[in-house]
Amino acid sequence: MDIEFNKNDDKMRLLISQMEQRLQKIYLGGGKSRLDKLKEQGKMSARERIDFLLDKNTPRTEIGAFAGYEMYPEHGGCPSGGVVVVIGYVSGKQCIVVANDATVKAGAWFPITGKKNLRAQEIAMENRLPIIYLVDSAGVYLPMQDEIFPDKEHFGRIFRNNAVMSSMGILQIAAVMGSCVAGGAYLPIMSDEAMIVDKTGSIFLAGSYLVKAAIGENIDNETLGGATTHCEISGVTDYKCKDDAECLTRIRNIMSKVGDANKAGFNRVESVLPAKDEKEIYGIIPDTRDKQYNMHDIIERLVDKSEHDEYKANYGQSIICTYARIDGWAVGIVANQRKVVKGKKPANAVEMQFGGVIYSDSADKAARFIMNCNQKKIPLVFLQDATGFMVGSRSEHGGIIKDGAKLVNAMANSIVPKFTIIIGNSYGAANYAMCGKAYDPRLIVGWPTAQVAVMGGAQAAKVLVQIEVASLKAKGEEITPEKEAELFNKIKERYDIQTTPYYAASRIWLDAIIDPLETRKVVSMGIEMANLSPITKPYNVGVIQT
């Protein structure tokens, strides 16, 4: 291995180590003292409940672990958005599990909590995936009620989705393992089956203090809405469980009897590991974003046998389109190219550095490839490392906007599932064309090297400084080079923070930040869940300018 490879490898391993250190802190939720308090109450933590529920030694993918990261400091933070969401297997059936973390403000709902819960339900609905709710929540976080309560994508949307999923025949199971209050009390009864843990679980629209204030009735919470009340009097819940373990075991027993779903029929053969060492990805991705690398080298370390069949290999080379298999699943890969390529290119240059820029011919090729994958019912995997579409008079006169629109149209109307891996840059319109969050990828994840923004920090700062300097000069102010440099650095620093994968993941623009070696697992589990949802409509891209 050369020195450059070793530098890249060291940088990637450092980024992964930093990510894992942050995750370990997030996994503590509200902190060790609050975890200890749960144990004193005879309760498991949210993550312990999920560990107990899921099948042992099976793969899992956590969604939104970084949700809320470095958000709400004035409220003490909200680690993981106060809720843990994991795709895994229960009694051999793939499910999505949503568990409130009672160590974070008693499981109260922050704005990001609502967004994360809605994302979990979106995944369940898109893929007809059974969803299991492990409820332990004090309800809406009152100091921020105006940001979580009344709007379309707020708290109430959860129960609308409960009803929609029920009509779709998607299995929903609710386990009340702690508080379940106010509007949240509708969730168990809107699920297919509900259970409650004796003495620790409770369900009511209003607790005893509010009841006393509202109607003057004196009653304790257990009598008002405990397990005995709801299993023997109200009939709200179906099963009474003595503790967390019995409750979770009952869910496993229910799932063990669930019949197989109709399948979409995506092609899968026996999985084969890549022939080339996956760990070499660490040394291939450059240690800085201004360096080139060959995306073929990445693809060959992600796909089975390191084999793929490239479509139009010598045309539109700033995007690679290729057929391959990942963990046995047939996939169509659309990937940005980052290397220098010799030969005649769209700009008629002898040598061209693509650097993740999308050219007209590449957009045209990718659009056609996406149409072909839809025709063949092959899931799509997007590997993003793009700075945007090519600009300038030559590109504009050549119709770059028209060709970009063609790509966006073909991708946006895709009926096969899409999965997006952000490897490096995800800037501007390239984020859209390569299936960014706005275009409904079934899962979207980033490597620790990912950056998501309208443009890079330096470019954005240059533009904003030019505007600011022009504004100040118009007011008659003199701008020295030193003042201009200070302004540039201030803007760039702020912008760079907003481009990090952690900023994106905290707001659930990304479902997860992953070690590159987790990519095959994430894609495979994603296609497996997508396979539970048959394709019911034809592929139609509408009007495309040619």
Side-chain angles (χ1 to χ4, degrees):
M1 299 298 178
D2 59 21
I3 294 175
E4 198 68 27
F5 182 97
N6 290 334
K7 281 174 57 181
N8 296 342
D9 185 273
D10 289 344
K11 179 67 177 293
M12 180 65 84
R13 289 179 187 275
L14 176 62
L15 291 173
I16 292 169
S17 175
Q18 291 171 345
M19 176 187 73
E20 290 174 344
Q21 288 172 26
R22 289 171 172 146
L23 282 172
Q24 289 306 313
K25 186 175 181 180
I26 286 169
Y27 292 160
L28 292 174
K32 187 176 183 305
S33 62
R34 292 180 183 173
L35 287 168
D36 291 341
K37 187 175 180 180
L38 282 186
K39 287 183 170 53
E40 290 170 9
Q41 297 170 344
K43 297 164 68 173
M44 298 179 187
S45 70
R47 293 183 181 278
E48 287 171 337
R49 287 167 176 168
I50 291 174
D51 287 341
F52 188 99
L53 179 64
L54 295 182
D55 297 346
K56 308 305 178 197
N57 302 316
T58 57
R60 64 176 67 179
T61 296
E62 182 167 353
I63 302 298
F66 282 102
Y69 180 72
E70 294 187 339
M71 295 173 69
Y72 317 119
E74 68 278 19
H75 296 280
C78 186
S80 210
V83 62
V84 184
V85 176
V86 175
I87 300 169
Y89 300 85
V90 179
S91 298
K93 300 290 191 303
Q94 196 177 31
C95 306
I96 187 163
V97 183
V98 180
N100 299 115
D101 187 349
T103 68
V104 180
K105 293 289 192 294
W109 287 54
F110 283 68
I112 197 66
T113 316
K115 187 172 183 178
K116 185 171 175 179
N117 275 267
L118 289 171
R119 176 59 179 147
Q121 289 186 321
E122 180 183 42
I123 290 170
M125 287 189 285
E126 283 182 327
N127 302 288
R128 306 185 73 86
L129 196 63
I131 185 166
I132 298 168
Y133 307 98
L134 306 181
V135 185
D136 195 342
S137 171
V140 166
Y141 183 59
L142 292 178
M144 303 186 75
Q145 65 85 27
D146 61 320
E147 298 181 50
I148 182 61
F149 170 66
D151 210 344
K152 180 180 178 181
E153 298 299 327
H154 284 178
F155 190 67
R157 190 77 172 181
I158 300 292
F159 314 117
R160 175 265 186 193
N161 288 349
N162 288 142
V164 170
M165 283 190 281
S166 182
S167 72
M168 294 171 66
I170 298 170
L171 177 60
Q172 300 175 81
I173 298 173
V176 180
M177 310 179 80
S179 297
C180 183
V181 303
Y186 288 104
L187 186 138
I189 201 63
M190 296 189 76
S191 297
D192 299 300
E193 298 198 62
M195 55 208 68
I196 185 169
V197 178
D198 195 20
K199 300 298 185 291
T200 57
S202 59
I203 309 170
F204 35 67
L205 293 179
S208 56
Y209 293 123
L210 186 53
V211 168
K212 172 67 174 175
I215 64 173
E217 181 182 3
N218 286 306
I219 190 169
D220 64 88
N221 283 338
E222 183 64 26
T223 306
L224 181 66
T228 299
T229 295
H230 288 306
C231 287
E232 299 179 18
I233 300 173
S234 73
V236 167
T237 50
D238 306 311
Y239 307 99
K240 180 180 179 180
C241 306
K242 68 178 182 180
D243 56 23
D244 283 8
E246 182 180 298
C247 184
L248 297 166
T249 299
R250 187 174 291 278
I251 296 173
R252 290 185 54 79
N253 291 341
I254 291 170
M255 289 303 303
S256 71
K257 299 171 181 66
V258 174
D260 288 339
N262 294 328
K263 301 291 175 66
F266 302 125
N267 184 270
R268 191 182 196 185
V269 299
E270 186 176 349
S271 175
V272 180
L273 290 173
K276 296 183 178 180
D277 188 356
E278 292 176 79
K279 290 183 179 178
E280 290 177 356
I281 289 173
Y282 292 174
I284 294 169
I285 298 295
D287 61 339
T288 61
R289 303 305 305 134
D290 58 345
K291 297 179 181 177
Q292 300 93 39
Y293 65 94
N294 190 342
M295 185 64 83
H296 288 98
D297 293 335
I298 300 296
I299 292 170
E300 288 165 5
R301 285 156 180 82
L302 293 177
V303 303
D304 293 12
K305 298 183 182 178
S306 299
E307 295 177 353
H308 60 103
D309 301 306
E310 189 167 354
Y311 174 79
K312 293 184 183 290
N314 297 316
Y315 176 76
Q317 294 180 57
S318 72
I319 290 183
I320 299 167
C321 298
T322 191
Y323 298 106
R325 290 189 183 275
I326 293 179
D327 197 28
W329 294 103
V331 296
I333 296 174
V334 182
N336 302 113
Q337 179 59 290
R338 293 280 305 188
K339 72 170 185 175
V340 172
V341 177
K342 296 181 183 295
K344 187 177 180 181
K345 294 297 141 201
N348 296 317
V350 175
E351 187 174 87
M352 174 169 288
Q353 177 182 327
F354 286 141
V357 176
I358 301 174
Y359 291 85
S360 285
D361 58 349
S362 301
D364 180 72
K365 176 179 78 171
R368 179 62 183 268
F369 180 74
I370 288 167
M371 293 178 196
N372 286 346
C373 287
N374 276 272
Q375 184 81 354
K376 299 183 181 77
K377 205 160 74 170
I378 299 174
L380 288 159
V381 177
F382 293 84
L383 302 179
Q384 278 200 26
D385 191 351
T387 52
F389 283 83
M390 190 60 190
V391 297
S393 61
R394 186 188 298 272
S395 292
E396 298 292 358
H397 297 170
I400 186 69
I401 297 174
K402 178 182 65 179
D403 291 320
K406 187 187 303 182
L407 171 55
V408 170
N409 199 328
M411 180 274 301
N413 285 296
S414 179
I415 58 173
V416 296
K418 300 168 291 193
F419 302 89
T420 302
I421 318 297
I422 301 181
I423 290 174
N425 300 329
S426 179
Y427 292 162
N431 170 278
Y432 298 161
M434 293 293 292
C435 196
K437 183 67 183 289
Y439 291 84
D440 298 323
R442 299 295 177 98
L443 293 173
I444 178 169
V445 300
W447 290 358
T449 45
Q451 295 184 349
V452 183
V454 171
M455 62 182 73
Q459 295 91 331
K462 286 177 184 177
V463 172
L464 293 171
V465 164
Q466 288 176 30
I467 295 170
E468 182 70 15
V469 167
S471 175
L472 292 172
K473 285 183 177 179
K475 296 175 183 177
E477 295 186 31
E478 185 67 29
I479 304 298
T480 65
E482 292 76 17
K483 177 67 175 177
E484 188 170 331
E486 180 185 343
L487 191 59
F488 172 85
N489 291 330
K490 183 179 178 181
I491 294 173
K492 182 178 181 299
E493 182 180 1
R494 184 182 74 245
Y495 209 88
D496 283 344
I497 291 171
Q498 295 177 356
T499 66
T500 69
Y502 299 101
Y503 193 90
S506 71
R507 289 152 180 81
I508 318 183
W509 304 344
L510 300 178
D511 289 319
I513 305 171
I514 64 168
D515 183 328
L517 302 186
E518 296 282 291
T519 304
R520 280 172 54 86
K521 180 195 75 174
V522 169
V523 172
S524 178
M525 290 187 70
I527 299 175
E528 183 179 354
M529 72 181 186
N531 201 37
L532 297 173
S533 182
I535 296 171
T536 57
K537 65 178 183 179
Y539 182 54
N540 187 342
V541 295
V543 176
I544 291 183
Q545 294 224 14
T546 58

